[in-house]
């Protein structure tokens, strides 16, 4: 019989992954209210925004206002792929930085305009310096299962890339099914390998939910020993450079499942739904939370 953790950490990625693919420009003050309400709900770790080219991802062009105006409780990440973004993150007071790279070259080229190797060569000295200076660095690994351009990705290539990041000293690896095509067998196998290979590094799973296998993949990763998950309030999300990818698994669905299985998250689901209500009128896709509200406090 498998064993499950007693506590799971949710890394809320709604303000970043959730909104980056959203066509409607969400006003900065609404994003700040959303983040504040997520913190009030008990979210301790969050991706707030990203420092990326405002031409490539206009929705994230207010990253500076977001990063400087939120309460820095717990780990509040800003995501970036390059030196310019890391410099901006530090100038604006970030203490925790998330860097990202794709395992497959074709995706990395579309996302960052570099090969995977070029990205890794740029990131190595920057990440090592961040670690030396006491910052918390999370490395986000995209296309860890499937690439929208190359198909299935070799798990050994994922482990090799993770090994490189770990050798630089990153404290966390967030390993992603970018286009939501992985199945629970693949999720268990990869996370079982990573948990055993990197016992001193936080291992986080990041699932998009394109084929509705996201929550099953989370359960498989839990069985493999993962106790950290990136999720997005309202199930928003997707990478603008990964065709066909849909939202992350909804935070409320994951928190609900975990609480029903007596696994704590420190998140208050009613307050979390209040955060979904803040963002819902500003996004183009409908968010379904009616059943949770019906059963509220029951
Ligand atoms: P480029 O055009 O090759 O680079 O883009 P560049 O150096 O010529 O820069 C273009 C412009 O952007 C310049 O401005 C730079 O200064 C500026 P201009 O001179 O034209 O006015 N710039 C920046 N501005 C702010 N912050 C920066 C930055 N860097 C350059 N950091 C670049 C290369 C990487 C910039 C571009 O490709 C880019 O911004 N890509 C970001 C793509 C992105 O945000 N994707 C989504 C996030 S990853 C993701 O969602 C996956 C994840 O969720 C896990 C998963 O699910 O797989 C994490
Ligand atoms: Mg993502």
């Amino acid at each position: 019989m498998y064993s499950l953790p007693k506590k799971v950490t949710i890394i809320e990625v709604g303000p970043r992954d959730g909104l980056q693919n959203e066509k409607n420009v969400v006003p900065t003050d609404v994003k700040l209210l959303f983040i504040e309400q997520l913190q009030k709900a008990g979210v301790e770790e969050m991706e707030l925004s990203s420092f990326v080219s405002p031409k490539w991802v206009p929705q994230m062009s207010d990253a500076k206002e977001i990063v400087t105006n939120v309460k820095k409780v717990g780990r509040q990440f800003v995501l970036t792929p390059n030196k310019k973004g890391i410099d901006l993150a530090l100038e604006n007071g970030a203490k925790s930085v998330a860097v990202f790279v794709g395992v497959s070259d074709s995706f990395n080229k579309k996302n960052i305009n570099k090969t995977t190797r070029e990205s890794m060569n740029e990131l190595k000295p920057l990440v090592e310096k961040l670690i030396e200076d006491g910052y918390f660095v999370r490395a986000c690994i995209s296309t860890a299962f499937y690439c929208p351009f190359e198909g299935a990705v070799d798990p050994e290539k994922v482990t090799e890339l993770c090994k490189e990041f770990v050798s630089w000293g990153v404290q966390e690896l967030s390993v992603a099914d970018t286009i939501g095509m992985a199945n629970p067998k693949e999720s268990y196998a990869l996370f079982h390998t990573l948990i055993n290979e990197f016992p001193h590094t936080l291992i986080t799973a990041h699932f998009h939910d394109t084929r509705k296998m996201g929550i099953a993949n989370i359960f498989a990763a839990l069985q493999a020993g993962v106790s950290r998950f990136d999720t997005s309030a309202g199930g928003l999300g997707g990478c603008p450079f990964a065709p066909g990818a849909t939202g992350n698994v909804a935070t409320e669905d994951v928190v609900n499942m975990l609480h029903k299985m007596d696994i704590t998250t420190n998140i208050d689901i009613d307050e979390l739904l209040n955060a979904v209500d803040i963002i819902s009128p500003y996004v183009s896709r409908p968010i379904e939370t009616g059943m949770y509200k019906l059963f509220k406090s029951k």
Side-chain angles (χ1 to χ4, degrees), residues 16-17 206 208 248:
R16 194 279 303 169
D17 199 326
H206 177 120
H208 285 264
N248 298 90

Side-chain angles (χ1 to χ4, degrees), residues 236-288:
L236 301 170
C239 176
F241 309 102
T246 55
N248 298 90
V249 186
T251 307
E252 56 273 23
D253 292 341
V254 178
V255 167
N256 176 58
M257 176 182 83
L258 294 169
H259 290 185
K260 292 274 151 59
M261 296 194 308
D262 299 321
I263 298 172
T264 60
T265 62
N266 291 348
I267 292 176
D268 179 320
I269 196 151
D270 293 338
E271 294 290 1
L272 176 64
L273 294 174
N274 291 338
V276 175
D277 284 344
I278 289 172
I279 206 67
S280 185
Y282 294 91
V283 294
S284 49
R285 82 174 71 158
I287 302 176
E288 192 40 72

Side-chain angles (χ1 to χ4, degrees), residues 8 34 40 50 76 80 91 95 104 112 117-118 143 145 149-150 160 165 170 175 182 193 195 197 221-222 232 247 274:
V8 156
F34 179 45
K40 189 172 168 201
S50 53
Q76 306 296 325
T80 190
E91 273 165 34
K95 298 273 176 286
S104 66
I112 313 182
R117 184 46 42 206
E118 285 165 348
T143 57
F145 295 90
F149 313 104
E150 295 178 23
E160 283 310 308
F165 274 120
V170 303
V175 178
T193 302
I195 285 273
E197 189 90 23
L222 274 170
S232 173
N274 291 338

